[in-house]
Amino acid sequence: MRLVLGYLYPSVMSQYGDRGNVLTVQKRCQWRGIDVEIDHLEMGDRVDPDRVDLLLVGGGADTHQRLVCDDLLRVKGDGIRHAVADGVAAFAVCAGYQLWGHYYRTATGEELPGLGVFQARTIHRAAQTGTLQDTITKAGSVRAVGNLVVQWGSQVLVGFENHGGRTYLDGGAQPFGRVLAGAGNNSEDGWEGCVHNNAIGTYMHGPAFPKNPALADHLIKAALSRRYGPVALDRLDDARETSAQQRALQQATTKPRRRWRHLWSDGVG
Ligand code: GLN
């Protein structure tokens, strides 16, 4: 079997180690004798829904989102929408997740149109509160930064979040999971991320896959099953992954988050 991975904007959108998700898929496939081809899809490159099996996109600052937004809509949009509608697996993290929704309103109030793959809209907290991010403290006060723990079915996932955007799901949209620690979509409704077909949007950086091998395998399996019919993945020895996850969970659930997270809920003091 072969898996074709489409890595979107590798040189622009790979904040907080999101490239680690690509390396994890590569390794977990190679350890099972599954060939992996990685298409680095930069600005100007189209997405071929008949070729790709799994799409990965990482995070980035508002400036990065502004940079890729037009290309995402005009060059890659149709290919991504067709791919997701056809069951291609996808994992879109933070800035990537936000731009796969209806729109993202940046910290300065500029509205970046999104792909509409996820029935969700995102507004930066600074735009909601009218906070001028002219000091580090002010900029930090409108961000959710820290460990993120999510209940995903019977699994508990752990990662890291750093975002000013607050995401609201449309009625009927399926959240990815429930927040156990951290902010998730908007620290109001307790949901994290969004799911549409085999596409997952999330705020989970880290990167997410190395410490959450079940999540990586879920997407590898979905990607291969679309092309080859139902597949069963060989079990791997995930002792190190599991101990890293346990360690991170322990940290996330014992280490108090810094005070100013509370500022999030009522704007800047
Ligand atoms: N720029 C977006 C925000 O602040 C996304 C940040 C990210 O990808 N880490 O919410």
Side-chain angles (χ1 to χ4, degrees):
M1 291 191 288
R2 178 192 70 161
L3 185 147
V4 177
L5 193 164
Y7 185 11
L8 303 180
Y9 308 112
S11 61
V12 184
M13 304 272 279
S14 285
Q15 251 185 350
Y16 310 121
D18 295 331
R19 195 170 70 87
N21 294 332
V22 175
L23 300 174
T24 306
V25 168
Q26 198 174 25
K27 279 289 163 210
R28 297 186 72 79
C29 284
Q30 282 168 357
W31 291 332
R32 292 167 168 131
I34 300 164
D35 294 335
V36 179
E37 282 184 33
I38 301 176
D39 292 356
H40 292 78
L41 301 169
E42 295 282 12
M43 305 277 262
D45 297 332
R46 291 190 177 282
V47 171
D48 176 356
D50 299 327
R51 173 170 163 75
V52 291
D53 301 307
L54 172 60
L55 291 169
L56 294 180
V57 60
D62 288 12
T63 39
H64 301 123
Q65 291 167 290
R66 206 173 283 119
L67 194 64
V68 303
C69 181
D70 184 58
D71 178 86
L72 185 65
L73 289 175
R74 265 185 331 95
V75 179
K76 294 179 176 53
D78 287 349
I80 292 173
R81 280 187 282 263
H82 282 122
V84 172
D86 193 49
V88 165
F91 193 70
V93 181
C94 206
Y97 164 38
Q98 296 167 341
L99 288 179
W100 284 34
H102 298 309
Y103 63 80
Y104 170 49
R105 197 173 300 151
T106 67
T108 55
E110 181 190 0
E111 199 161 290
L112 303 179
L115 292 181
V117 166
F118 299 122
Q119 301 310 302
R121 60 201 152 79
T122 305
I123 303 160
H124 195 290
R125 183 66 180 152
Q128 288 180 324
T129 58
T131 306
L132 199 59
Q133 302 193 106
D134 53 1
T135 67
I136 296 284
T137 311
K138 283 192 194 170
S141 72
V142 289
R143 300 191 71 79
V145 182
N147 295 309
L148 175 61
V149 182
V150 175
Q151 184 79 45
W152 173 55
S154 61
Q155 299 271 343
V156 174
L157 307 174
V158 59
F160 168 78
E161 62 182 338
N162 184 340
H163 54 107
R166 303 179 89 171
T167 298
Y168 303 91
L169 304 187
D170 294 1
Q174 186 194 342
F176 172 46
R178 179 160 278 292
V179 175
L180 297 178
N185 282 347
N186 53 50
S187 77
E188 290 167 40
D189 58 22
W191 295 119
E192 204 291 301
C194 188
V195 176
H196 178 58
N197 288 353
N198 290 323
I200 296 172
T202 178
Y203 276 113
M204 194 169 280
H205 291 287
F209 289 176
K211 287 194 291 291
N212 303 292
L215 176 58
D217 285 354
H218 166 80
L219 287 158
I220 292 169
K221 196 172 173 179
L224 294 171
S225 300
R226 169 179 167 266
R227 191 164 296 282
Y228 299 101
V231 300
L233 296 177
D234 298 341
R235 283 180 81 83
L236 297 174
D237 170 8
D238 287 332
R240 275 197 293 179
E241 289 82 353
T242 307
S243 78
Q245 187 188 58
Q246 290 311 318
R247 181 107 183 73
L249 273 172
Q250 198 200 353
Q251 276 200 331
T253 48
T254 51
K255 202 161 151 223
R257 286 174 70 107
R258 281 182 293 172
R259 188 191 62 75
W260 49 255
R261 180 167 177 286
H262 301 296
L263 281 174
W264 173 301
S265 54
D266 53 20
V268 171

